Amino acid sequence: EDQVTQSPEALRLQEGESSSLNCSYTVSGLRGLFWYRQDPGKGPEFLFTLYSAGEEKEKERLKATLTKKESFLHITAPKPEDSATYLCAVQAVGGRGSTLGRLYFGRGTQLTVWP
Amino acid sequence: EAQVTQNPRYLITVTGKKLTVTCSQNMNHEYMSWYRQDPGLGLRQIYYSMNVEVTDKGDVPEGYKVSRKEKRNFPLILESPSPNQTSLYFCASSAYTSVGEQYFGPGTRLTVT
């Protein structure tokens, strides 16, 4: 069964303290991996798409990387406004029980950055 | 402005009373999807639609119905709501070529008593 696991569940950082969030997946074949940011009471907001191992994407203080079985979201010198829940989702190529429209989300990492 | 709208935003109802949550997008997206979000369980896919008249089940379709008669609209129907369907619901849309790059609606908080 396809599965996405995010760790840690919660992370508290001091402003400027860099760290990484992890997303591991066990889909039969990866078509795409997606990162989202969700603020309290709002819908998720798309951040990045990664398609193949070795790929990297950057946006301001965030950099997403992908290996064959996991992805990392690196946060460099975070600020309080980076506080949010970060969600990872995967789309499988196919295989038993999977179709292209299925998206599997992890439970998210709640990031808090304090001044 | 590109957006996904949902109505209502908040709804309190009673067990067994049929309800519909509407979802509309103005981006001409082929793909639309419904999710529910529960504490500790994360975001789970209910149904999705790859295009008009094409729908398929996600992780948790039991107790829900959908239809896609127009490209812009994708309503979620609860024919006989039960308390275990109390949740925060999100609608999302994206282009067919990049299904995972979704725009999400603001959410509908549903309480079934």
Side-chain angles (χ1 to χ4, degrees):
Chain A
E1 184 176 329
D2 297 330
Q3 191 169 0
V4 179
T5 303
Q6 291 189 245
S7 62
E9 290 186 12
L11 181 63
R12 285 178 55 88
L13 300 173
Q14 188 171 14
E15 184 171 3
E17 180 187 1
S18 301
S19 188
S20 297
L21 313 181
N22 178 263
C23 171
S24 63
Y25 59 92
T26 57
V27 295
S28 51
L30 183 70
R31 184 174 179 89
L33 184 142
F34 312 94
W35 283 99
Y36 289 83
R37 168 193 172 123
Q38 185 175 24
D39 294 302
K42 295 191 174 182
E45 177 186 350
F46 168 74
L47 293 173
F48 301 111
T49 301
L50 299 166
Y51 290 111
S52 56
E55 189 174 0
E56 297 182 353
K57 294 277 180 70
E58 279 190 74
K59 181 180 180 180
E60 296 180 355
R61 295 175 293 282
L62 300 177
K63 183 167 82 172
T65 61
L66 182 65
T67 70
K68 283 192 175 181
K69 286 299 177 187
E70 59 189 351
S71 176
F72 294 93
L73 185 65
H74 307 278
I75 303 175
T76 302
K79 298 182 177 182
E81 52 263 41
D82 294 321
S83 297
T85 296
Y86 291 85
L87 301 172
C88 167
V90 300
Q91 180 188 17
V93 168
R96 196 168 202 171
S98 295
T99 64
L100 284 179
R102 289 288 297 273
L103 289 167
Y104 302 91
F105 278 81
R107 299 183 184 189
T109 294
Q110 186 174 14
L111 173 67
T112 304
V113 182
W114 49 283
Chain B
E1 179 192 355
Q3 60 181 353
V4 177
T5 56
Q6 295 179 229
N7 283 293
R9 294 289 313 279
Y10 302 91
L11 179 60
I12 300 174
T13 189
V14 296
T15 299
K17 185 177 181 181
K18 181 179 179 179
L19 66 92
T20 299
V21 183
T22 64
C23 173
S24 183
Q25 50 95 1
N26 64 359
M27 294 165 280
N28 201 36
H29 283 160
E30 294 86 6
Y31 180 89
M32 296 185 75
S33 185
W34 276 102
Y35 300 89
R36 61 179 289 174
Q37 189 170 42
D38 302 289
L41 295 178
L43 208 58
R44 293 180 293 168
Q45 195 173 36
I46 303 172
Y47 271 97
Y48 63 91
S49 170
M50 297 295 284
N51 214 325
V52 176
E53 302 291 1
V54 181
T55 62
D56 210 343
K57 297 176 182 178
D59 295 317
V60 287
E62 295 78 17
Y64 304 94
K65 282 179 59 176
V66 293
S67 67
R68 185 96 180 270
K69 293 183 168 52
E70 304 168 283
K71 198 171 187 178
R72 64 181 294 127
N73 296 322
F74 191 43
L76 180 70
I77 303 161
L78 285 72
E79 298 243 338
S80 183
S82 63
N84 64 12
Q85 293 178 298
T86 292
S87 188
L88 179 59
Y89 291 85
F90 289 103
C91 179
S93 74
S94 58
Y96 178 86
T97 52
S98 52
V99 161
E101 298 179 8
Q102 296 176 96
Y103 289 78
F104 278 80
T108 294
R109 187 165 292 281
L110 172 66
T111 301
V112 184
T113 62

